[in-house]
Amino acid sequence: MNPDKSIIIDDLLARVNASPFLIVIDYTKVTVPEFSELRAKLAESGAQCHVAKNNFMRKALSQAGLPDISEHLAGQTAFITGQNDVIAAAKAVNTFAKTSKKAAYKVALVDGSVLTPEAIQALGELPSRDALLAKLLGTINAVGSALARVIQAYVDKENGGSSEEAPAV
């Protein structure tokens, strides 16, 4: 094998191994300025977009021991990797696809599992991590608040509804 090709495959292998996800998109008819815009949005979410020959990516995925997605590696294909948040990267692609109407998901690998285009798009439509954590904390807090209201109602009932300070429980 040509040493230059080997270097490219090794670089792709390192990127795939370092990333918990790989999103494969079709970027047919995307202009250079639009592609630069997509890369900038992905960079904000901690992800990178790479373009490489499909055969090189096939070899890198094979060497990494990841599932075979060869049937999706045809045509103009871009590969998105990142260090942590697949949802943020999917959101960036979803936003780009809605505005440009040119990019489309082909397939995704998340923690070694193959996701369909519909599944990765659904991931991109989830609320942000911070919003999900806020909802979780709100749910946890709601139980404590409800318990406090029940106890306060019981104390008020026992005191005959007086406004005096209730005894410590």
Side-chain angles (χ1 to χ4, degrees):
M1 177 184 294
N2 184 336
D4 293 337
K5 291 179 182 180
S6 178
I7 291 170
I8 294 169
I9 293 170
D10 290 343
D11 180 55
L12 289 172
L13 178 62
R15 290 177 190 276
V16 167
N17 284 334
S19 177
F21 65 90
L22 171 72
I23 300 172
V24 182
I25 63 169
D26 178 2
Y27 70 97
T28 304
K29 298 184 182 177
V30 175
T31 64
V32 172
E34 289 171 333
F35 202 74
S36 295
E37 177 187 334
L38 173 61
R39 282 185 164 159
K41 287 184 186 209
L42 287 167
E44 290 172 9
S45 67
Q48 305 87 32
C49 186
H50 317 282
V51 175
K53 285 189 171 188
N54 292 324
N55 285 334
F56 292 166
M57 185 54 83
R58 274 189 201 95
K59 289 179 183 176
L61 292 173
S62 174
Q63 288 178 13
L66 291 169
D68 183 23
I69 56 169
S70 296
E71 68 270 12
H72 302 285
L73 301 181
Q76 291 186 320
T77 307
F79 307 99
I80 300 169
T81 58
Q83 295 303 317
N84 46 21
D85 194 5
V86 66
I87 293 175
K91 280 183 181 300
V93 174
N94 281 2
T95 302
F96 177 77
K98 285 178 188 173
T99 58
S100 73
K101 303 206 186 315
K102 294 180 184 175
Y105 293 109
K106 286 187 170 187
V107 69
L109 294 173
V110 178
D111 293 327
S113 299
V114 179
L115 297 181
T116 64
E118 296 80 18
I120 193 68
Q121 185 171 0
L123 274 180
E125 292 170 359
L126 288 174
S128 69
R129 182 178 187 274
D130 292 339
L132 289 173
L133 287 174
K135 284 183 181 183
L136 175 64
L137 291 176
T139 303
I140 292 170
N141 191 28
V143 173
S145 297
L147 179 63
R149 285 191 297 275
V150 168
I151 293 172
Q152 186 62 47
Y154 176 77
V155 169
D156 289 346
K157 180 180 175 187
E158 290 296 314
N159 287 340
S162 69
S163 62
E164 296 177 15
E165 199 170 303
V169 178

